[in-house]
Amino acid sequence: MNDGILQEGLFIDGISKAAVSGEVREIINPATESVIAVVADGGSDDINIAVERAEAAFRKSWKKCHSRDRTKMLLALAGLIRSHSESLAVLESRNTGKPIRDARGEIGLAADCFEYYAGAINKIGGQTVPVSSQGVNMTFREPIGVCGLIVPWNFPLVITAWKVAPALAMGNCVILKPATQTPLSALQLGRLALEAGIPPGVLNIVPGEGNQAGEAIVRHPGVRKIAFTGSTTVGKDVMRLAAEHIKPVTLELGGKSANIVFADANLEKAIDGAVWSVLGNAGQDCCARSRLLVEKSLYPSFVDALEEKFRTVKLGEPLDESTEMGPLITRQHRERVEKYIELGQSEGANLRCGGDAPDFENGYYLNPTLFTDVTPKMYIMQEEIFGPVLCAMPFEDEADAIRIANESIYGLSGSVWTRDGGKALRVARAVETGVISINSAHSAHLETPFGGMKESGIGRELGLAVLDNYCELKSVYFHTEE
Ligand code: NAD
């Protein structure tokens, strides 16, 4: 890919086109602050057109497409993602500021996701169910129709794949709205889908503002299902708007996950997990373990070791292979994170390191930031900061750790570190969270359900569980009495 400025349209019915309004948006590289693309900015008129084309594609081609052919097309798409993986990784890195080696991993995950759901297509069916009257009841999984998929900017292609792959696998057509700041990899995916043989109109991509294109998708009566990933605040609005047409919603929302470290843990691994589960993707990760709870006897030495690690993380140009942490996504987002850092200091937390920006000429960078002596009720311990900021505090015992971990409106992810298997499982079961890892900071596996409890969301993605989000279960009773 050259360094010129890309010109991109909306991707509707297999064609790149200007927005009806003629509006465009500049896309900024957060590491250089320079414009890397100019992209058409969709609004409600564009969504109306996209829905009409998607409905037509659903009726004419996709609904009737043999499952074997859908499998082949999704596999072909996975293959094309792999063969374009380096250019996609560079594009994703330039658009988000994430280190290139992370971006490469994410493109691989997106390809894996299309492969997984391609393989699931012919393994999912209905049942024959014994009923009390004479006859038999059959259930069928039927596609819903046009699905509206709305995604955030932190893992653009991965989260897109998590939604698009199962939606298409179950025979639905899609209107995808990428995040306003990061539409580039999704637009590329649209072109690759066409090349893979997926008919025009099946996958439509409409970049635009949340309160324009996003709201138009949620409000449109022709969009029969909404799958949304983003903040809890916007998720609540989406749910309210979707109620107008009793539209099913899947919501993957914010988090403030706890990382619970007992004194008997493997310390090397626990420290590494504590560092990278909050500094990975510059902390812009819904599963970031941004609340660190350490058993009292271990706490002083553990936070000393963490501080040392935080101070040596290599920030820099995302395309540099040795960079470990890139910038935040926008200037406004960095300002928001900085406000939380000021708030933490005014609340009396101890700023052990970071809180400031490195001395770089450009880019929305922020140094890894560690707060210690935080208390559970502080805002910095309760609210999702979504930046490289870790809040640490000690706990007394198992019950205390569980109590503090559950003092949150969120329940998305988390970790427990201990060599005591029984304790690990007791704590993992007691923490109110959709996903939790023992002796690991890993959050999502393609093959297992992923999602949040409490205000972290509704429904599950990934695994075979997500397929229920993208189909209607129909019952057909066959009366057999003579
Ligand atoms: P956001 O809520 O601001 O935006 C998410 C998407 O919704 C974007 O595409 C945006 O344009 C769109 N949007 C905004 N307002 C809308 C509206 N009124 N109607 C319809 N769509 C609208 O979130 P963000 O800043 O892009 O992403 C960060 C948030 O996403 C964090 O809270 C993070 O925890 C969350 N997130 C959750 C998960 C998960 O799986 N649970 C994964 C990644 C990110």
Side-chain angles (χ1 to χ4, degrees):
M1 190 183 134
N2 64 40
D3 283 344
I5 296 177
L6 288 169
Q7 306 287 329
E8 290 278 16
L10 314 174
F11 186 79
I12 298 177
D13 210 10
I15 295 165
S16 176
K17 48 171 74 176
V20 171
S21 67
E23 295 284 324
V24 294
R25 172 179 304 277
E26 290 184 337
I27 303 299
I28 309 290
N29 178 335
T32 61
E33 304 183 34
S34 55
V35 176
I36 53 170
V38 175
V39 177
D41 201 41
S44 58
D45 290 338
D46 303 292
I47 296 300
N48 290 342
I49 296 168
V51 175
E52 190 193 308
R53 302 297 152 80
E55 282 174 332
F58 181 66
R59 279 194 311 274
K60 286 191 206 141
S61 61
W62 203 236
K63 193 178 177 187
K64 296 180 196 156
C65 178
H66 195 287
S67 62
R68 183 193 53 217
D69 297 328
R70 258 183 290 144
T71 299
K72 281 187 186 159
M73 289 180 222
L74 291 191
L75 283 177
L77 177 53
L80 285 166
I81 295 172
R82 287 200 202 287
S83 60
H84 290 78
S85 62
E86 190 57 21
S87 61
L88 279 166
V90 171
L91 189 67
E92 198 80 315
S93 173
R94 292 181 79 216
N95 196 174
T96 60
K98 65 180 70 217
I100 183 69
R101 54 194 202 184
D102 295 350
R104 282 193 193 107
E106 289 175 26
I107 304 304
L109 291 176
D112 292 347
C113 185
F114 280 97
E115 274 164 7
Y116 178 83
Y117 289 106
I121 291 176
N122 60 2
K123 296 168 192 73
I124 296 293
Q127 292 178 310
T128 51
V129 185
V131 287
S132 48
S133 45
Q134 181 145 14
V136 66
N137 203 89
M138 295 167 278
T139 62
F140 294 86
R141 288 173 188 272
E142 300 199 339
I144 302 175
V146 178
C147 298
L149 314 181
I150 300 176
V151 298
W153 44 259
N154 57 343
F155 298 106
L157 195 65
V158 173
I159 294 178
T160 291
W162 285 10
K163 295 187 186 327
V164 171
L168 297 186
M170 293 309 278
N172 301 283
C173 290
V174 163
I175 315 287
L176 169 77
K177 196 199 85 62
T180 319
Q181 305 84 342
T182 56
L184 302 181
S185 55
L187 289 165
Q188 186 66 9
L189 180 76
R191 284 191 282 270
L192 295 180
L194 208 57
E195 202 180 323
I198 295 174
V202 170
L203 173 59
N204 304 278
I205 297 155
V206 186
E209 282 276 3
N211 60 9
Q212 301 291 323
E215 266 198 45
I217 291 173
V218 183
R219 285 183 190 278
H220 199 298
V223 176
R224 304 278 293 277
K225 150 111 209 146
I226 297 293
F228 171 87
T229 298
S231 62
T232 295
T233 309
V234 176
K236 288 178 186 181
D237 289 341
V238 165
M239 198 169 171
R240 271 190 285 270
L241 285 178
E244 178 68 21
H245 297 288
I246 315 291
K247 221 173 264 191
V249 289
T250 314
L251 300 174
E252 294 289 348
L253 308 176
K256 187 79 182 174
S257 299
N259 195 18
I260 301 173
V261 184
F262 286 94
D264 66 347
N266 175 326
L267 293 186
E268 202 183 323
K269 289 193 174 151
I271 288 167
D272 194 61
V275 171
W276 290 110
S277 66
V278 79
L279 299 187
N281 215 38
Q284 304 165 120
D285 180 349
C286 53
C287 292
R289 276 70 163 167
S290 50
R291 292 185 297 150
L292 174 66
L293 315 181
V294 186
E295 193 165 6
K296 204 172 171 185
S297 60
L298 175 67
Y299 181 75
S301 60
F302 197 86
V303 294
D304 283 351
L306 268 188
E307 181 184 338
E308 208 182 306
K309 292 267 182 190
F310 267 46
R311 288 184 185 279
T312 57
V313 168
K314 183 161 185 282
L315 275 68
E317 161 55 42
L319 291 177
D320 181 335
E321 299 286 342
S322 65
T323 291
E324 294 180 303
M325 197 178 110
L328 300 191
I329 189 74
T330 58
R331 181 182 300 282
Q332 296 87 317
H333 186 57
R334 182 174 65 181
E335 285 167 4
R336 181 181 172 275
V337 175
E338 284 169 338
K339 287 218 170 70
Y340 273 109
I341 294 170
E342 282 168 30
L343 182 62
Q345 288 173 287
S346 68
E347 289 184 296
N350 181 13
L351 180 63
R352 287 280 289 262
C353 64
D356 55 348
D359 188 20
F360 295 168
E361 213 166 295
N362 293 307
Y364 313 124
Y365 290 89
L366 191 66
N367 281 319
T369 300
L370 174 63
F371 276 112
T372 56
D373 309 331
V374 182
T375 57
K377 297 261 187 291
M378 285 183 184
Y379 285 107
I380 57 165
M381 195 68 163
Q382 286 297 321
E383 297 189 8
E384 186 183 43
I385 298 175
F386 222 55
V389 180
L390 180 59
C391 298
M393 63 169 289
F395 67 83
E396 295 286 339
D397 55 19
E398 192 177 320
D400 196 35
I402 293 166
R403 181 186 60 75
I404 300 168
N406 287 341
E407 268 188 55
S408 174
I409 60 165
Y410 296 112
L412 185 57
S413 185
S415 292
V416 189
W417 303 82
T418 171
R419 286 191 167 93
D420 178 338
K423 182 159 67 181
L425 205 50
R426 281 196 304 277
V427 174
R429 297 289 309 272
V431 176
E432 295 162 352
T433 183
V435 176
I436 192 161
S437 301
I438 296 169
N439 297 330
S440 161
H442 210 99
S443 302
H445 299 265
L446 183 51
E447 304 82 359
T448 53
F450 169 84
M453 292 184 182
K454 302 198 275 188
E455 293 195 22
S456 286
I458 296 177
R460 294 291 178 263
E461 296 206 298
L462 300 181
L464 296 179
V466 72
L467 297 174
D468 289 337
N469 293 341
Y470 294 110
C471 63
E472 295 282 8
L473 197 58
K474 179 182 278 183
S475 284
V476 175
Y477 172 60
F478 196 153
H479 190 58
T480 54
E481 199 175 40
E482 284 179 35

